Amino acid sequence: QVQLVESGGGLVQAGGSLRLSCAASGRTFKRYILGWFRQGPRKERVFVAAITWGGSWTYYAASGKGRFFISENNAKDTLYLKMNSLKPEDAALYYCAATVSSSNKDYRDYNYWGQGTQVTVTS
């Protein structure tokens, strides 16, 4: 049983930083792609960033490129998302997810999800 548990969300002022974590358990993630998504109120869940387990490949949505950085520590089975220069429009519920699909920019490509961690950005 795959389990993904996010943490690290909170309230931050615009321009500030947060680091989200996602603890993964239940299987080996060697062949998986791990991703971060976010969902604002009454909005669709959208792609933020993805990484191969082992970190050899990363990909970012345009909204976070240059400000967000995805990484993983496979010794700790933990995925991270460091978010810098946060803007009010970054406020959302952030989810980590896992997939073995080569198509990995859409939430429908992902099989496993955490419960989400809330990020609030004040202006």
Side-chain angles (χ1 to χ4, degrees), residues 27-116:
R27 65 175 58 198
T28 177
F29 290 93
K30 202 171 174 181
R31 293 172 51 242
Y32 279 75
I33 291 172
L34 284 295
W36 286 99
F37 287 77
R38 67 187 185 188
Q39 187 168 20
R42 298 173 297 281
K43 292 183 180 179
E44 192 171 83
R45 195 169 296 189
V46 296
F47 174 80
V48 174
I51 189 169
T52 48
W53 199 247
S56 60
W57 173 86
T58 59
Y59 188 84
Y60 297 89
S63 59
K65 201 172 284 186
R67 298 187 300 127
F68 293 1
F69 298 94
I70 190 170
S71 62
E72 52 80 34
N73 182 330
N74 54 24
K76 295 183 178 180
D77 284 344
T78 303
L79 175 71
Y80 303 100
L81 183 69
K82 180 67 186 301
M83 304 186 294
N84 299 319
S85 303
L86 281 161
K87 305 174 183 179
E89 52 264 41
D90 294 319
L93 190 59
Y94 281 72
Y95 296 92
C96 70
T99 182
V100 293
S101 173
S102 57
S103 175
N104 48 57
K105 314 297 188 305
D106 188 286
Y107 71 89
R108 287 163 287 212
D109 297 324
Y110 286 75
N111 309 102
Y112 304 104
W113 291 88
Q115 82 290 349

